[in-house]
Amino acid sequence: MSFDTLQKRYEAAGQGHLFQLWANLNNQERAQLQAQLEALDIERVNRIYKTAVASEAQLSDPNYQADAIEPLPKGASESVTNVEKAEEWKKIGLQAIARNEVGVLLMAGGQGTRLGSSAPKGCYDIGLPSHKSLFQYQAERLARLQEVASQEAGKPTGSVVIPWYIMTSGPTRPETEQFFKKNKYFGLDPKNVIFFEQGTLPCLTMEGKVILETPSRVAVAPDGNGGLYAATRSPLSPQDPSKTVLSDLADRNILYVHAYCVDNCLVRVADPVFLGYSIGKGAECAAKVVPKTQPTESVGVVACRGSKFSVVEYSEISKEQAERRDPETGELTFRAGNIANHFYTTAFLDRVQQFEDDLAFHIARKKIPHTDLETGEFIKPSKPNGMKLELFVFDVFPFTERFAVLEVDRSEEFSPLKNAPGTGSDDPESSRRDLLAQHKRFLESAGAKVATGVEIEISPLVSYSGEGLDSIKGKTFSKSGIVEQLEELDALI
């Protein structure tokens, strides 16, 4: 694009100020700024700003009548505690996996800053005896599940593939890719591990003007985990603009996608039970949830606003609503704790673009370092001077036509890693404890006994969710250890 065309486009969009310091830039700086502005869809940025501001104004209007918040309707949610149904869902899910109809989207853009690590969070070691990272655990669960599905379907080993699409941020992508290469993709075929980047949006002034961080660079920030949807449409690499996550899903004939966040050490990647449940329900989008521990737990819940499914923040629910219980079961009425664990059909992911302009991004007012356009001086503000715009992954829920919710056991499927070591909850120690406790339950469910104080770590390559351990029935384990192959359990008796 010529410079004149670019400048006219930005002036027409009301963003011509971005060229105010152009005369002061050298050729390299001009090329840098021009490339960034050419890549930016400035008209989309303006639309996002207008929708976000209008939505915020509407919600703060004292005369605005918000849709009533209602619990999930009967039939919209089921639980894995129904063992018979769970087995049936698992069969449906494994059949879909065996037909190579399932892919996985991993949201892995975050860094382990709160954990005292500058590395991508997926590289983190929670302190297991094996010292395996979160990435390795998830890769090995995928490998095992491919094997289980092929065995169930009577297909040869290696014929079942679950492609893994890993969304990084711009800063974490090089280190994430290097980590996988260094570890030989944890045994997975590299062509089935596809990296792509979360998008960014420019930081804006309160009036919607794009902020320059330096005279030759626009200030940008990640567009939230809901940026997943736009990112699936973006080129995987500059070398091949036509290749995207969505095009790759189509080329592989993938029909169903499981999406989750990297920081849950108990996540069941491509969970066949969840997949089978969602497929059986005919859902185009579904959410996995855990029961709230208590009415006051600070967690968003999947519920309804009017007639539409939504995630409702705990601050939006009254004390009376939070404490309300089902008269038949005694369970909390608003109990479906959101854990950012979702199912989609690829047809739905393709459709998101049609209603994306109706999604209201969330405004976060921040102190944004910037260049003064009059003086060229770099300024670090002492109070919020601008905004970052974010979309949340669940913001698409109200636009779904067929939605379903599956409630699972928190102790089996959800142990998030959010806090620094020694915090006491949602930290590396709690993640380690929860995972090893699950492995103990695997052994006990198979009919074995585990002596007090004994810690046995079972590789996901041995068992995905407790299956394949029939041979240990009646045995007592008295030694701690790491089990990478089933036969190694005998050494721990």
Side-chain angles (χ1 to χ4, degrees):
M1 188 184 298
S2 73
F3 172 76
D4 286 344
T5 303
L6 184 68
Q7 188 173 24
K8 283 175 184 171
R9 180 181 163 199
Y10 272 78
E11 284 172 352
Q15 303 283 2
H17 64 281
L18 294 170
F19 298 96
Q20 197 163 321
L21 299 174
W22 184 264
N24 303 337
L25 304 181
N26 61 37
N27 288 339
Q28 184 180 350
E29 290 169 333
R30 288 180 177 183
Q32 180 188 26
L33 180 58
Q34 184 165 346
Q36 191 181 18
L37 296 181
E38 283 178 358
L40 188 61
D41 184 344
I42 192 61
E43 295 80 13
R44 175 175 178 257
V45 172
N46 284 347
R47 289 196 305 269
I48 287 171
Y49 168 76
K50 285 175 184 171
T51 306
V53 169
S55 174
E56 187 181 66
Q58 182 185 56
L59 293 173
S60 60
D61 183 346
N63 298 317
Y64 174 64
Q65 293 292 315
D67 287 331
I69 296 170
E70 301 287 347
L72 291 169
K74 297 287 185 189
S77 174
E78 294 196 56
S79 171
V80 294
T81 54
N82 188 325
V83 178
E84 197 174 306
K85 279 194 174 181
E87 278 302 311
E88 185 57 37
W89 297 330
K90 184 177 179 181
K91 283 179 188 171
I92 295 170
L94 285 173
Q95 287 164 2
I97 292 168
R99 291 192 298 267
N100 291 325
E101 294 174 349
V102 173
V104 170
L105 285 173
L106 167 58
M107 293 171 273
Q111 290 178 296
T113 313
R114 284 192 197 171
L115 307 169
S117 167
S118 60
K121 197 182 263 191
C123 303
Y124 195 79
D125 166 13
I126 60 173
L128 292 168
S130 67
H131 294 290
K132 289 178 182 177
S133 64
L134 293 169
F135 279 139
Q136 181 165 356
Y137 247 78
Q138 291 159 30
E140 291 183 353
R141 283 185 184 132
L142 270 181
R144 171 66 183 168
L145 186 56
Q146 289 174 166
E147 186 183 329
V148 169
S150 62
Q151 287 172 357
E152 287 279 324
K155 294 181 73 171
T157 299
S159 62
V160 172
V161 173
I162 306 171
W164 199 14
Y165 301 88
I166 299 175
M167 185 175 79
T168 70
S169 65
T172 62
R173 182 168 182 172
E175 195 170 351
T176 301
E177 291 199 40
Q178 191 54 43
F179 189 71
F180 272 77
K181 285 174 186 168
K182 176 184 164 190
N183 289 283
K184 298 185 171 134
Y185 292 81
F186 308 105
L188 298 174
D189 187 332
K191 74 172 182 286
N192 300 320
V193 181
I194 300 99
F195 298 95
F196 68 111
E197 271 178 48
Q198 178 180 2
T200 59
L201 281 171
C203 301
L204 306 175
T205 66
M206 304 303 184
E207 297 73 40
K209 301 295 184 184
V210 174
I211 293 173
L212 280 176
E213 182 179 0
T214 72
S216 62
R217 187 172 67 246
V218 168
V220 298
D223 55 4
N225 58 17
L228 169 74
Y229 304 108
T232 61
R233 302 194 303 269
S234 299
L236 292 173
S237 74
Q239 289 74 37
D240 185 2
S242 66
K243 193 73 168 174
T244 66
V245 169
L246 290 181
S247 75
D248 195 74
L249 288 166
D251 291 345
R252 295 172 184 262
N253 297 311
I254 300 294
L255 300 180
Y256 312 109
V257 171
H258 177 224
Y260 69 96
C261 292
V262 75
D263 60 2
N264 175 14
C265 69
L266 295 181
V267 65
R268 294 192 176 176
V269 187
D271 176 18
V273 176
F274 185 36
L275 289 165
Y277 167 74
S278 304
I279 293 166
K281 279 276 193 181
E284 59 178 3
C285 178
K288 188 181 274 195
V289 300
V290 296
K292 283 181 67 171
T293 54
Q294 56 191 4
T296 55
E297 185 182 4
S298 301
V299 61
V301 294
V302 181
C304 289
R305 287 185 199 274
S307 61
K308 295 179 178 179
F309 291 96
S310 184
V311 170
V312 179
E313 296 301 334
Y314 62 91
S315 56
E316 299 178 80
I317 296 176
S318 68
K319 184 173 183 291
E320 184 273 323
Q321 285 174 316
E323 293 177 350
R324 191 189 306 166
R325 294 185 180 270
D326 186 305
E328 294 176 21
T329 64
E331 295 170 336
L332 292 172
T333 306
F334 291 93
R335 59 187 266 113
N338 175 47
I339 60 172
N341 193 312
H342 304 142
F343 163 92
Y344 308 98
T345 61
T346 47
F348 176 77
L349 291 176
D350 286 331
R351 191 165 68 80
V352 170
Q353 189 172 13
Q354 295 175 18
F355 56 78
E356 192 178 53
D357 283 351
D358 297 323
L359 295 171
F361 279 65
H362 307 269
I363 297 173
R365 289 174 174 78
K366 300 284 186 180
K367 293 181 279 192
I368 300 167
H370 62 283
T371 295
D372 186 293
L373 294 180
E374 300 301 324
T375 65
E377 180 189 358
F378 184 70
I379 296 172
K380 279 191 168 183
S382 57
K383 59 183 181 180
N385 64 308
M387 57 177 71
K388 297 179 180 181
L389 297 165
E390 289 184 312
L391 195 66
F392 299 146
V393 72
F394 52 74
D395 284 333
V396 300
F397 288 2
F399 297 85
T400 57
E401 292 164 8
R402 299 180 308 281
F403 189 78
V405 175
L406 182 64
E407 185 178 279
V408 299
D409 183 341
R410 185 186 294 242
S411 67
E412 294 295 344
E413 300 203 35
F414 187 57
S415 180
L417 179 60
K418 304 285 185 190
N419 301 321
T423 305
S425 67
D426 297 346
D427 61 7
E429 292 83 3
S430 63
S431 292
R432 179 189 191 278
R433 180 197 68 223
D434 292 346
L435 191 53
L436 292 177
Q438 182 184 64
H439 292 182
K440 182 180 180 182
R441 288 193 298 274
F442 286 174
L443 296 170
E444 291 174 340
S445 295
K449 291 182 180 177
V450 181
T452 304
V454 168
E455 290 184 335
I456 298 176
E457 181 185 352
I458 302 169
S459 167
L461 295 171
V462 174
S463 183
Y464 174 87
S465 58
E467 81 293 333
L469 301 173
D470 301 341
S471 61
I472 65 169
K473 187 175 182 179
K475 295 180 179 178
T476 299
F477 296 101
S478 57
K479 298 174 188 170
S480 297
I482 306 164
V483 177
E484 293 290 348
Q485 297 179 36
L486 186 59
E487 299 74 31
E488 293 173 357
L489 276 165
D490 288 336
L492 303 179
I493 293 173

